[in-house]
Amino acid sequence: MYADRAAFDLAFGASEAMDLDAATGRIDSAIASACAVADGYIAARYSTPVSSVGSALKSAVLDIARYSLWDNQAPDEVRTRFEDALRWLRDVSSCKAGLTDSTGAVMTTPSTSSGIAASVRTMSYGASFDARYQPDL
């Protein structure tokens, strides 16, 4: 999983977490569902589950989980953060944004499940290229 209950408490405060958990009793399942949503988007470019989770992915998962716990009564800020998280995940999926690992380094290992990927080849003058078909989405 890309986040856990401790990360949820840290991100949104223990008070909100306790209130939401008391009302729904499903913070852990909401986080698991949010991880599955994130995987659905990022699997277009990366192998999932991602082993080293950067702060942007963790934040997106937490925002999606938080929104789902409010059912249909989410405050504007919670809804906006949810929409922003989904927009960012769509951008990752369509190559407009990328993932970072837990150290902040940009992850460059694409999934071989998207597009048609050819192996990296070294040309005679030493330059590498990656022949990859990326359809416009």
Side-chain angles (χ1 to χ4, degrees):
M1 288 207 325
Y2 304 136
D4 57 17
R5 173 63 190 262
F8 191 94
D9 291 354
L10 186 63
F12 307 119
S15 176
E16 180 177 344
M18 286 190 321
D19 290 346
L20 287 171
D21 201 37
T24 65
R26 55 188 173 95
I27 287 180
D28 291 331
S29 65
I31 293 170
S33 294
C35 289
V37 168
D39 277 346
Y41 283 98
I42 62 178
R45 288 185 53 204
Y46 300 93
S47 296
T48 57
V50 175
S51 59
S52 180
V53 181
S55 60
L57 179 55
K58 181 185 283 188
S59 293
V61 164
L62 290 171
D63 286 335
I64 292 167
R66 182 186 189 198
Y67 178 79
S68 72
L69 292 167
W70 280 92
D71 295 320
N72 293 321
Q73 303 169 2
D76 287 342
E77 181 240 343
V78 172
R79 185 175 22 79
T80 299
R81 288 177 65 149
F82 166 76
E83 292 167 352
D84 289 347
L86 290 182
R87 189 175 304 110
W88 178 77
L89 287 168
R90 279 191 298 272
D91 286 350
V92 168
S93 177
S94 64
C95 302
K96 294 178 183 175
L99 295 179
T100 57
D101 64 17
S102 59
T103 67
V106 176
M107 296 177 65
T108 58
T109 307
S111 168
T112 57
S113 65
S114 71
I116 300 168
S119 62
V120 174
R121 302 175 188 202
T122 302
M123 299 171 68
S124 60
Y125 54 89
S128 294
F129 72 95
D130 193 354
R132 198 177 269 108
Y133 170 69
Q134 292 291 334
D136 292 335
L137 300 176

